Amino acid sequence: MFGAELRRRRQEARMSLADLSGVTHYSKGYLSKLETGAKPPTSETAVICDNALDAGGALRALAPSRTPSGDPEPKVPSHSQEVWILRMEADGSTEFSGMDRRTVLSAGAASLVTAAAGPSPVSPASPETLVWFREQFAALRALGQRAAPRVVLPLAVAQANALRQLAAGTNGRSAEEALGLAARFAEYAGWMAQEAGDDSAALWWTDTAATMAATAGDREMCAYVHVRRALVAMYAHDGARTIGLAERVRSEPGASARVLGLAAKREAQGHALVGDLVSSERALERARELLPVPKGTPSPHVLGSSHVADPVGVARGWCLVDLGRFEEGARVLDEEVARLPGSAVRARTRFGVRRALAHALAGEVDHACALTGELLDGVAASGSATVTADLRRLSQALTRYHGHGAVRDLGPRLVAALHRP
């Protein structure tokens, strides 16, 4: 049991509850409840106590798992639906479903936003049309750095639908190109759905992208979807599943060096979640070999982020925080965030919050509060569920210093950011 081991190691270190409180910045009452089992430890608490008592991961290993059992069920279980329907609610949220054309007609679908990919007559996909859609994809990814995911998601869905319809009316190589591009829009719709806080929808769009990519013969995308699924598992704090999905990419025959590198990066983050420093570092070394720092700005059409020049660098800082090496992680993230381009608004917010979290966990409270204050407007504008999850961790980390002046001053703005609809 965690509590008994915490007490044993504290007493072995000849520390009183007051001594441990002074090191961890948790109250004596809270630490006492941890030791008696009256309160379960969070994974963050376990890491902090493990570091304070030099337990070498023993306390961390005893913390209750936060991981779910497998992925959430995709919201739409079938990929064979003839029509995709997207509905926007009064609060701006979106819902989508798949149904056959007869059901749509009987339901009076004129009141809904629909796009069909059935046998209706359409113009074939000309080279000029496909060039236009590729330009739209680049523009959509740029918009995704600045606009809320609930704004971007319907646009990605519409483009995927339109391309799927074009592919149905086209033969040969042009049909494959149209469907392959539709898969790119569907994969991006999955990311926007995850950013909007809907993991089930994210997995459905990812699975849909995989289905279309397989039909189009795009083996690289078929390999990459495992990296996307691993990202959903990572944000669910399921380290073992993150590792398993990332490792699966190695057996995919169409995996390019870039996709293998992105998978290695994700694998490193999974190892960090389970506290395996050695395996995390090895995976990062493999990712560095496969993903050298590019010269210039990455193409907007690359798989993975096109706004982070060095994805391995920021991943290393991310991993160090999850491994409990807070000071080192803060230093790495300081350097990496400074290198992000100004156009990468969402990326700067995402890694900026993780950077502030690292400084807060390292006990650098004033600096963490200053960084957080600069980021709150960006967090609100991003509308990102994944960024908000890290902001919640940051808020919990700062709560340990609730009597600190900078924390008190920041508190109202931080609470408002976390509860903004």
Side-chain angles (χ1 to χ4, degrees):
M1 294 291 290
F2 177 88
E5 182 65 9
L6 175 63
R7 176 184 289 134
R8 186 187 74 77
R9 287 184 175 271
R10 175 180 62 78
Q11 292 175 343
E12 190 176 78
R14 297 186 178 182
M15 296 177 71
S16 66
L17 280 173
D19 294 332
L20 187 57
S21 174
V23 174
T24 63
H25 297 279
Y26 289 121
S27 70
K28 289 192 298 181
Y30 176 66
L31 291 172
S32 176
K33 289 177 181 178
L34 288 177
E35 290 190 348
T36 61
K39 274 190 173 294
T42 66
S43 59
E44 208 100 83
T45 302
V47 170
I48 290 168
C49 291
D50 196 285
N51 289 348
L53 293 171
D54 197 21
L59 286 172
R60 177 175 183 154
L62 292 173
S65 173
R66 294 184 296 176
T67 63
S69 55
D71 284 335
E73 285 296 321
K75 184 174 292 184
V76 181
S78 172
H79 304 302
S80 62
Q81 306 296 340
E82 191 175 0
V83 178
W84 292 342
I85 295 178
L86 182 69
R87 178 176 65 251
M88 182 168 287
E89 307 292 350
D91 64 358
S93 63
T94 55
E95 286 287 335
F96 66 90
S97 61
M99 60 182 67
D100 59 74
R101 188 179 301 277
R102 181 178 299 176
T103 303
V104 172
L105 293 175
S106 66
S111 62
L112 302 174
V113 180
T114 67
S120 57
V122 294
S123 301
S126 67
E128 293 79 12
T129 300
L130 294 177
V131 167
W132 184 87
F133 274 106
R134 278 191 283 271
E135 292 173 348
Q136 291 301 302
F137 183 69
L140 188 68
R141 293 188 76 170
L143 179 65
Q145 284 292 313
R146 298 182 178 277
R150 288 182 176 179
V151 173
V152 181
L153 175 57
L155 301 176
V157 171
Q159 301 286 31
N161 275 322
L163 281 159
R164 192 173 71 150
Q165 189 175 19
L166 280 173
T170 307
N171 297 315
R173 180 59 185 162
S174 293
E176 292 180 353
E177 289 182 12
L179 198 57
L181 192 50
R184 294 301 309 276
F185 276 104
E187 180 270 320
Y188 194 68
W191 171 229
M192 288 296 99
Q194 185 179 359
E195 281 286 83
D198 192 340
D199 286 356
S200 294
L203 290 169
W204 188 84
W205 282 112
T206 301
D207 290 348
T208 299
T211 300
M212 291 192 292
T215 303
D218 186 348
R219 297 166 76 184
E220 184 183 33
M221 172 62 83
C222 290
Y224 178 67
V225 293
H226 296 305
V227 181
R228 279 287 303 120
R229 292 178 182 125
L231 183 68
V232 176
M234 187 194 82
Y235 273 110
H237 305 284
D238 190 339
R241 185 161 178 78
T242 302
I243 296 165
L245 287 166
E247 288 179 337
R248 193 179 301 177
V249 177
R250 299 185 209 170
S251 62
E252 290 287 336
S256 63
R258 178 172 179 82
V259 172
L260 287 168
L262 293 171
K265 177 175 75 78
R266 191 73 70 234
E267 182 187 336
Q269 291 172 307
H271 286 302
L273 282 173
V274 300
D276 188 343
L277 171 63
V278 173
S279 295
S280 182
E281 290 288 350
R282 285 175 179 167
L284 285 171
E285 288 173 7
R286 195 165 67 252
R288 172 57 72 210
E289 293 173 359
L290 294 161
L291 294 171
V293 179
K295 296 179 180 178
T297 305
S299 165
H301 297 283
V302 298
L303 291 171
S305 176
S306 62
H307 292 86
V308 178
D310 183 12
V312 181
V314 291
R316 182 167 184 270
W318 190 286
C319 290
L320 287 168
V321 175
D322 281 336
L323 286 162
R325 300 167 72 98
F326 306 130
E327 295 87 351
E328 189 178 353
R331 288 197 302 272
V332 171
L333 288 170
D334 283 345
E335 296 172 2
E336 296 300 332
V337 170
R339 297 173 58 194
L340 294 174
S343 60
V345 178
R346 186 178 296 274
R348 290 183 68 85
T349 302
R350 176 180 315 286
F351 295 111
V353 170
R354 174 62 62 135
R355 173 194 182 195
L357 173 63
H359 283 284
L361 292 171
E364 299 164 8
V365 182
D366 287 322
H367 190 40
C369 288
L371 291 173
T372 306
E374 296 170 0
L375 290 165
L376 289 180
D377 289 341
V379 171
S382 74
S384 166
T386 54
V387 171
T388 300
D390 255 3
L391 188 68
R392 191 168 291 111
R393 283 183 68 188
L394 173 56
S395 176
Q396 292 169 350
L398 291 174
T399 300
R400 295 160 57 207
Y401 305 91
H402 57 86
H404 196 285
V407 175
R408 288 198 307 269
D409 293 342
L410 181 67
R413 290 185 63 203
L414 187 52
V415 169
L418 287 170
H419 292 88
R420 187 177 282 105

